[in-house]
Amino acid sequence: MMKPNFLRTGLIVTGLLVSPAALADDATGSLILDVRARHEMVEQTGKLDATATTIRTRLGWQSAPWRGLTFLIEGENVVVLGSDDYNSGLNGRTAYATIKDDDITELNRLQLSWSASEQVRVTVGRQLLSFNGNRFIGSPAWRQDRNSHDAIRIDVADAAWSASYVYHDRVLRGPGDDFDWQSDSHLLNLGYRVSDAASLEGFAYFIDLTDPSAPQNRSNMTLGGRLTGALPLGEARLSYSAMLARQTDYGSSTADFSLDFASFEARVSQSGASLMIGYDLLGGDGVNTIATPLGSGHGNHGWADAFSGGGAQSTADGLEDVRFGGTYGAETGHAFVTGWEVGAVHRHFTAQRTGDGLGREWDAWVNLDLPRNVGLSFQFADFQGTGNPLSPADRTKQWVVLTYRR
């Protein structure tokens, strides 16, 4: 785990003390600054209660374009404040519930991009990737150490069409570099914008994890498609997404599987309020389940992350997630709180293969927009299992989060 003192000190001091006026962009490029302080509390059956207070600072610089070339560098630093009464995955405190944040300093992004024309762009180096809502390929930022990727990416776009190819060499999973996985993977994504009401995506991901520490049943080939869009519904607006995929073993996988994936969600919004209903199906054959080693884990099936870990988001018998929820928010125009949002989601989980109940979860939050790009959030998750052998342990999580970014 890399911890150079000069970089650690520079990130903390600059991120927390520098005046925003001193960070004005100029013709040579722009500075990147993103600071998040978080207090997290976890109560989990069978574990000691965990508490972690951390500050994450990302500091970087992106050059102005020169003959089509753009350079970006970004460092990331996480500092644990106070006691470490939690299991970070690195500190050995396994009697406590898990909070995967630890003291780290690392290079989060180091990339060179070349715009060969208005239609073609090539990016080489450590970068962020996001396709299909981060489910299979993404750079999740929930944990303080954000996931990034060592890769070569080629993007081609022309009018309504877009296409991307990625050769993927390594996923930096965090915390630190102890959980990174080497890969020899090829990622293809094709998009077509039909209209404002509909956009289509097709994808083919050939993911081969070559790292000995990676689970041997996570290498996979995933083929699928996604439909997204929005359209008026009287005075309201209906937005929707639907994704179907088929996943089979591939490359270094020592398992033999063929599994289905499906995700549907619809949301109706009007005058600051929205109502949502959704359904996810992740196949399982009793031994294997849908693998997402390069994708996002947090929040896809609840903020408690009861089913997320190790490059998967399900149980060996698969997972069905039925959910509904709503949000309401508004801008205030006040000097101290400029906007706010409240929301809640309820989820019901069952095993896809057997139909057994696996648990229920409530997630709720209050977000406040403060002046000068500052945000304050209060978040809550409560998962209650069923006692089924595949049902995760009961857990409750709470967060207080203060952010600043420019």
Side-chain angles (χ1 to χ4, degrees):
M1 189 159 45
M2 183 174 56
K3 297 184 179 179
N5 290 333
F6 73 91
L7 182 55
R8 173 186 293 265
T9 302
L11 287 170
I12 296 172
V13 173
T14 303
L16 299 179
L17 301 180
V18 72
S19 166
L23 298 176
D25 300 340
D26 59 30
T28 64
S30 58
L31 284 171
I32 301 166
L33 178 61
D34 187 331
V35 183
R36 179 169 67 189
R38 180 162 64 195
H39 183 68
E40 182 169 350
M41 297 168 286
V42 180
E43 298 177 18
Q44 181 175 325
T45 300
K47 296 287 185 179
L48 297 177
D49 294 351
T51 302
T53 303
T54 56
I55 297 178
R56 185 263 293 138
T57 305
R58 296 194 192 109
L59 180 64
W61 177 75
Q62 179 172 310
S63 71
W66 178 77
R67 297 187 178 181
L69 294 172
T70 305
F71 174 76
L72 186 152
I73 183 171
E74 179 185 67
E76 186 171 60
N77 170 259
V78 181
V79 176
V80 178
L81 304 179
S83 64
D84 60 345
D85 292 337
Y86 66 97
N87 177 19
S88 71
L90 294 175
N91 60 11
R93 310 201 72 178
T94 56
Y96 288 87
T98 298
I99 300 175
K100 285 194 172 181
D101 292 325
D102 210 326
D103 286 302
I104 65 104
T105 301
E106 69 176 12
L107 187 64
N108 191 48
R109 286 190 285 174
L110 181 65
Q111 66 184 60
L112 181 66
S113 299
W114 177 47
S115 296
S117 66
E118 292 184 357
Q119 291 78 34
V120 180
R121 183 178 178 86
V122 180
T123 303
V124 179
R126 185 162 297 176
Q127 57 190 281
L128 306 180
L129 297 175
S130 177
F131 296 121
N132 317 121
N134 287 330
R135 286 304 290 263
F136 294 102
I137 309 297
S139 297
W142 173 249
R143 297 272 39 114
Q144 297 286 47
D145 181 3
R146 183 173 194 174
N147 286 19
S148 55
H149 305 264
D150 291 345
I152 300 172
R153 174 173 179 169
I154 302 172
D155 295 302
V156 180
D158 186 13
W161 288 94
S162 64
S164 298
Y165 165 75
V166 177
Y167 174 75
H168 188 279
D169 180 70
R170 184 187 187 195
V171 55
L172 293 92
R173 301 175 62 242
D177 55 11
D178 294 70
F179 300 97
D180 298 350
W181 288 340
Q182 298 288 338
S183 84
D184 182 15
S185 305
H186 303 270
L187 316 175
L188 302 169
N189 188 275
L190 181 66
Y192 178 66
R193 182 178 176 84
V194 180
S195 66
D196 290 341
S199 294
L200 294 170
E201 288 180 272
F203 52 89
Y205 303 139
F206 304 87
I207 299 174
D208 188 8
L209 301 179
T210 59
D211 198 292
S213 66
Q216 293 304 299
N217 61 347
R218 296 293 186 253
S219 293
N220 69 86
M221 177 178 68
T222 302
L223 308 177
R226 186 178 185 228
L227 174 66
T228 59
L231 61 157
L233 189 67
E235 296 183 355
R237 183 176 180 84
L238 170 66
S239 58
Y240 65 90
S241 66
M243 182 159 56
L244 297 173
R246 184 75 171 173
Q247 186 175 95
T248 58
D249 54 281
Y250 174 78
S252 302
S253 176
T254 58
D256 181 10
F257 58 88
S258 182
L259 303 168
D260 293 321
F261 172 90
S263 178
F264 306 95
E265 185 170 295
R267 184 180 299 269
V268 177
S269 304
Q270 182 180 1
S271 302
S274 71
L275 294 175
M276 175 275 292
I277 186 169
Y279 170 77
D280 281 6
L281 179 149
L282 284 75
D285 59 14
V287 178
N288 305 287
T289 186
I290 291 289
T292 57
L294 305 186
S296 173
H298 173 75
N300 287 316
H301 303 295
W303 287 357
D305 289 330
F307 298 95
S308 177
Q313 304 169 25
S314 178
T315 73
D317 281 340
L319 186 71
E320 291 187 69
D321 173 3
V322 179
R323 59 192 179 275
F324 64 88
T327 64
Y328 184 73
E331 297 182 359
T332 67
H334 294 166
F336 182 67
V337 177
T338 61
W340 59 273
E341 180 188 77
V342 297
V345 175
H346 178 69
R347 297 173 181 267
H348 179 244
F349 302 105
T350 56
Q352 174 270 332
R353 190 173 72 95
T354 64
D356 293 340
L358 297 179
R360 298 174 183 270
E361 179 171 331
W362 275 104
D363 301 324
W365 63 94
V366 177
N367 296 333
L368 303 176
D369 296 328
L370 308 180
R372 298 183 181 274
N373 301 320
V374 176
L376 177 62
S377 296
F378 303 90
Q379 303 164 358
F380 172 82
D382 180 66
F383 172 83
Q384 298 295 320
T386 62
N388 182 286
L390 290 179
S391 177
D394 296 353
R395 66 200 67 192
T396 300
K397 299 186 178 184
Q398 301 174 66
W399 302 270
V400 180
V401 186
L402 182 67
T403 59
Y404 168 80
R405 62 175 57 91
R406 70 171 304 279

